[in-house]
Amino acid sequence: MSARIPAFDLSAQGIETAADLHWNLTTAPLVETSLKRGEGHLAKDGPLVVETGKHTGRSAKDKFIVRDSETEDTVWWGDVNASMTPEHFAALREDFLAALKGKETLFVQDLYGGSQPKHRVQVRVINELAWHNLFIRTMLVRPEEEKLTGFEPEFTIIDLPSFRADPSRHGTRGETVIAVNLSEKLILIGGTKYAGEMKKSVFGILNYKLPVDGIMPMHCSANIGPEGDTAVFFGLSGTGKTTLSADASRTLIGDDEHGWSDTAVFNFEGGCYAKMIRLSEEAEPEIYATTRRFGTVLENVVMDPATRELDFDDSTLAENSRGAYPIHYIPNTSAQNMGPVPHNIIMLTADAFGVLPPISRLTPDQAMYHFLSGYTAKVAGTEMGVTEPQATFSTCFGAPFMPRHPSVYGNLLKERIAKGGVRCWLINTGWTGGKYGTGHRMPIKETRALLNAALDGSLNDAEFRVDPNFGFEVPVSVPGVDAAILDPRSTWDNPEAYDEMAVKLVGLFIENFAQFEDHVDEGVRQAAPTAA
């Protein structure tokens, strides 16, 4: 085990603790320790099943970035990126370090954020829970053992669910806190057991760092076709980003977070974090198979205490039940977590209004418009307090994780699309036949057929019509797909009601995009929708 303990230890970072330190444990001992400590249970086929308590999703309103000379002019301040004073953070750091000093046991992992060596960040994560340590080891890129002895972190994350923030002392909203100090390269997470806060904190780091070097950070999944054609899938949680990228006929690069450099699309992570609610073996066989593997961590999945059978349809604990598993648990994954620069960009949206067609072809200007708009529906359980889908605009398909102004990422995307002649598509995995509540979700079989036609190039030979509301091109017919579904207006019982809803949605797009008009050129402004 000594080879897994770095010379640059906690004391070298100024962290004092008398705790029994468990350095860079692998999967089996972390599972074993979690079970011994009563942190979770082993399901029938081997995964570790845990509960996160009241926090079953991200606590977006409890995240803060320290506002100082480093971040004053580089962070996009506002509702998404709330500020914390250096003084409040200093008090918080003092109390976190005092809490660490009194712990009996701590678990430490040294990991990489980013698979392309030139563009990755070295991250140290300190946990009080063994299963949290297993989670982050599963989700990030794991260094070779010989690299651990000389490991020196650039960023450090301390995650203490038992810690309770004090709003008067720490400047927080309540007892939960995710505080990011980009100058001190320290992230403090307290008052929540939701493990996803750790992985998204690393994503935020890379979203801040990489644009300086001209690297495009992306909230997306990515895979490679048989001809070496990389496809990138943008989308928020619940739009199909993980599901559609886990295709046995294509090589998976990753399911959630990537960078686009001059030479590659590279995964930020070494694992996948898939939604488990209503998971079925028929619809998602590759993901379903991971729930029968030792080493998978299942959050808030209901399990029979006697038989240890899992019930993915039971949302008693959470709508946002999740599974974390190493990426190699999915068949046909990239050994390097990397692929060539992309041929196709897919923007995924779950349209709760039932207005958008299931697939549309975008010009580069339209692609930038829809990337900056980031329209979708918040899916139940993804964030605290969201109990049913709500229409939302999340710029860059990941506003909560983007520290810089959206135009930074939008311009990077447009430049790379133009440089590579990339084809761009908008796919609606949301509602058809009416808005949410009257219509139904787009059949995944139809979505896959349309996606495959886009990726294999056959869709380029189809006949297209111009959508009267959004101006993008929509195929008139695609082999193997019901032509009626391609014209959303025809799927509504009342076409006039569709027209009214379309006008409403167009208005929402125009109202939302007003904030970006001064940051884009005329071609992108002209890509805005107009009500028919």
Side-chain angles (χ1 to χ4, degrees):
M1 288 300 296
S2 60
R4 306 189 71 83
I5 302 176
F8 192 87
D9 60 11
L10 295 189
S11 63
Q13 295 183 262
I15 297 175
E16 299 178 12
T17 180
D20 181 16
L21 296 177
H22 295 272
W23 283 94
N24 294 308
L25 294 184
T26 55
T27 298
L30 282 171
V31 171
E32 183 179 43
T33 304
S34 299
L35 296 173
K36 283 182 178 178
R37 289 161 54 96
E39 295 177 4
H41 301 278
L42 212 60
K44 175 175 174 287
D45 296 306
L48 180 68
V49 181
V50 297
E51 296 181 16
T52 64
K54 69 175 183 177
H55 291 280
T56 59
R58 290 182 300 102
S59 298
K61 294 182 179 179
D62 295 308
K63 177 191 167 189
F64 303 89
I65 298 176
V66 176
R67 191 165 189 160
D68 57 18
S69 58
E70 162 72 26
T71 59
E72 178 65 43
D73 298 322
T74 54
V75 168
W76 182 41
W77 300 109
D79 292 339
V80 171
N81 295 308
S83 65
M84 174 179 279
T85 67
E87 293 75 21
H88 278 139
F89 185 85
L92 186 68
R93 181 186 60 231
E94 179 183 343
D95 293 346
F96 258 78
L97 294 181
L100 282 183
K101 188 177 290 188
K103 294 296 178 186
E104 293 184 1
T105 306
L106 290 170
F107 303 88
V108 189
Q109 288 287 337
D110 291 325
L111 301 158
Y112 299 139
S115 297
Q116 191 167 23
K118 186 178 178 181
H119 304 301
R120 67 190 178 198
V121 62
Q122 298 195 165
V123 181
R124 174 167 290 168
V125 185
I126 304 169
N127 300 112
E128 64 177 328
L129 296 177
W131 83 259
H132 268 197
N133 208 236
L134 172 61
F135 171 91
I136 200 63
R137 182 180 187 275
T138 301
M139 291 308 306
L140 294 187
V141 179
R142 298 163 287 281
E144 301 88 349
E145 184 169 326
E146 60 269 20
K147 297 291 182 65
L148 292 173
T149 303
F151 190 97
E152 290 192 23
E154 181 181 355
F155 278 82
T156 299
I157 298 172
I158 304 174
D159 190 339
L160 303 177
S162 65
F163 185 90
R164 296 293 179 267
D166 179 351
S168 62
R169 176 167 164 78
H170 304 133
T172 57
R173 198 174 62 106
E175 293 185 335
T176 301
V177 63
I178 303 95
V180 179
N181 191 317
L182 292 166
S183 299
E184 297 184 10
K185 300 183 177 181
L186 177 63
I187 298 173
L188 306 175
I189 303 172
T192 172
K193 288 174 69 176
Y194 181 66
E197 299 287 9
M198 290 183 287
K199 91 178 209 81
K200 287 306 183 189
S201 293
V202 177
F203 188 37
I205 292 169
L206 289 163
N207 282 331
Y208 184 77
K209 282 175 58 69
L210 293 182
V212 176
D213 298 323
I215 310 302
M216 175 68 187
M218 304 177 290
H219 186 214
C220 70
S221 58
N223 61 26
I224 314 167
E227 305 301 319
D229 54 304
T230 297
V232 166
F233 301 78
F234 286 108
L236 295 176
S237 297
T239 56
K241 189 159 45 69
T242 297
T243 300
L244 293 174
S245 60
D247 182 334
S249 68
R250 296 176 65 86
T251 300
L252 181 68
I253 302 173
D255 81 323
D256 195 35
E257 303 169 2
H258 294 81
W260 181 353
S261 70
D262 289 339
T263 58
V265 169
F266 62 99
N267 195 350
F268 288 168
E269 302 183 302
C272 301
Y273 195 37
K275 288 178 74 72
M276 292 287 124
I277 195 66
R278 290 175 287 279
L279 180 70
S280 78
E281 187 172 16
E282 179 183 6
E284 302 174 78
E286 293 86 7
I287 296 174
Y288 189 88
T290 69
T291 67
R292 298 178 174 181
R293 295 285 299 270
F294 179 82
T296 292
V297 181
L298 298 178
E299 293 179 334
N300 302 314
V301 173
V302 173
M303 181 182 71
D304 186 300
T307 66
R308 303 297 176 95
E309 294 277 358
L310 302 170
D311 185 350
F312 297 107
D313 294 324
D314 191 334
S315 61
T316 302
L317 294 176
E319 182 72 21
N320 190 39
S321 56
R322 292 272 180 166
Y325 47 87
I327 191 170
H328 64 262
Y329 280 13
I330 297 292
N332 195 24
T333 56
S334 165
Q336 294 79 33
N337 288 353
M338 289 191 288
V341 294
H343 281 56
N344 287 280
I345 286 177
I346 313 295
M347 297 184 186
L348 300 168
T349 180
D351 175 26
F353 289 87
V355 169
L356 295 179
I359 192 166
S360 314
R361 186 166 64 185
L362 307 177
T363 66
D365 284 332
Q366 289 170 338
M368 185 171 176
Y369 183 93
H370 284 275
F371 179 70
L372 288 176
S373 297
Y375 169 68
T376 188
K378 283 183 181 176
V379 179
T382 303
E383 293 183 12
M384 299 289 289
V386 180
T387 57
E388 64 177 37
Q390 296 176 357
T392 186
F393 291 90
S394 184
T395 186
C396 307
F397 293 98
F401 322 119
M402 303 295 174
R404 297 182 183 273
H405 192 278
S407 62
V408 172
Y409 308 105
N411 285 320
L412 269 172
L413 180 70
K414 187 177 179 183
E415 289 169 12
R416 292 201 170 274
I417 288 173
K419 186 176 180 180
V422 183
R423 294 189 294 267
C424 301
W425 310 87
L426 180 68
I427 289 183
N428 174 25
T429 63
W431 281 259
T432 184
K435 65 177 182 178
Y436 169 75
T438 57
H440 58 273
R441 284 301 289 263
M442 202 72 68
I444 192 169
K445 182 180 178 182
E446 306 280 8
T447 299
R448 283 198 181 276
L450 291 168
L451 173 62
N452 290 339
L455 296 183
D456 67 20
S458 62
L459 192 55
N460 291 316
D461 299 325
E463 178 187 353
F464 285 82
R465 66 178 177 85
V466 175
D467 184 90
N469 298 298
F470 285 85
F472 43 49
E473 295 180 314
V474 181
V476 174
S477 65
V478 177
V481 176
D482 180 3
I485 206 171
L486 296 171
D487 180 7
R489 188 175 188 269
S490 71
T491 66
W492 283 51
D493 292 336
N494 183 345
E496 287 73 24
Y498 170 87
D499 293 338
E500 292 177 9
M501 194 59 67
V503 168
K504 179 179 179 180
L505 183 58
V506 166
L508 290 173
F509 264 87
I510 293 171
E511 179 183 2
N512 171 74
F513 201 81
Q515 63 185 308
F516 304 124
E517 286 186 347
D518 292 339
H519 300 276
V520 299
D521 59 31
E522 183 61 22
V524 177
R525 286 193 287 270
Q526 290 299 319
T530 55

